[in-house]
Amino acid sequence: MSTSLSQMLDRTFGRPRGLLGRFGGRAMAHGNASTELRVVELASIESTETALVVGPGPGIGLQATAERAARTIGVDPSQEMLARSRRRCGDEVELRQGTADATGEPDDSVDVVLSVNNVQLWDDRPAGFAELFRVLRPGGRLLLSSHEKWLPVSRHELADEAAAAGFVDLQTWTWDPPGFGASLAAQLRAIKPLA
């Protein structure tokens, strides 16, 4: 991929900013909504739990998470996406600039981590999985979803990377979101062991 195309994609979807970032935010809100809502549903979030959403983008899944969890945190590297999430969710969520490998959360502080169409943007996936393992409480769960065609590795290799970070009870599958032009989603569920 050429450097200019890579930079354009980063400005639009990776770390959205400016006019391209606003376009990317609209595209993400429309194209990812059904997958984000499905991942929130699969998480079975309890009203007493703390949830961390990595890469909430325009905040569709973040808002759905906040409607279920006692505390919801969103981390995104893009100020543009944090602002969009703030407009959508108001004060119901805590938002901060961050990434999968630098969440700013203390050890064992969250019950569930959710991330949709973000893992393919992680600069260092092993560091991202290690960080998410660190912030989850024992018994906590991780749910990831990504357009399968954009994953840099297969979903099975992604599961192996999560296992290398310490996660157990890994499950991976594909899901075909509804809607015209929807892209097959690779999904992953993993648990931080109790001991």
Side-chain angles (χ1 to χ4, degrees):
M1 184 182 316
S2 73
T3 302
S4 60
L5 177 59
S6 178
Q7 290 171 339
M8 184 181 77
L9 289 173
D10 185 61
R11 290 181 69 91
T12 308
F13 299 110
R15 289 172 178 78
R17 55 200 179 276
L19 183 61
L20 286 175
R22 287 191 290 281
F23 168 77
R26 285 189 197 99
M28 285 185 273
H30 177 74
N32 294 343
S34 60
T35 302
E36 292 198 41
L37 297 176
R38 172 144 172 97
V39 167
V40 171
E41 181 184 316
L42 290 171
S44 300
I45 300 167
E46 300 287 333
S47 61
T48 57
E49 291 186 313
T50 297
L52 171 65
V53 179
V54 177
I60 303 281
L62 187 70
Q63 183 179 39
T65 300
E67 291 169 358
R68 291 160 176 79
R71 178 178 175 229
T72 302
I73 306 124
V75 295
D76 200 295
S78 167
Q79 288 294 342
E80 176 80 26
M81 292 301 102
L82 290 171
R84 289 180 68 103
S85 285
R86 172 68 61 212
R87 285 193 296 275
R88 180 176 302 279
C89 301
D91 294 331
E92 294 178 43
V93 300
E94 299 170 37
L95 291 166
R96 73 172 72 93
Q97 198 161 15
T99 60
D101 60 356
T103 65
E105 281 299 299
D107 293 355
D108 304 325
S109 61
V110 301
D111 300 290
V112 62
V113 174
L114 308 175
S115 187
V116 174
N117 292 329
N118 188 260
V119 69
Q120 70 272 22
L121 302 171
W122 298 359
D123 291 332
D124 184 339
R125 282 190 319 278
F129 281 120
E131 170 73 355
L132 300 181
F133 186 86
R134 180 188 69 76
V135 302
L136 276 168
R137 292 185 177 105
R141 56 217 182 272
L142 167 68
L143 282 99
L144 298 179
S145 183
S146 181
H147 296 302
E148 189 168 46
K149 66 182 177 183
W150 296 114
L151 280 176
V153 297
S154 76
R155 62 187 166 93
H156 301 291
E157 291 171 288
L158 201 63
D160 289 343
E161 291 176 1
F167 286 100
V168 296
D169 296 334
L170 287 114
Q171 299 171 326
T172 182
W173 64 94
T174 58
W175 182 64
D176 195 5
F180 176 75
S183 177
L184 190 67
Q187 301 188 322
L188 171 84
R189 179 183 166 97
I191 305 292
K192 181 174 180 174
L194 288 170

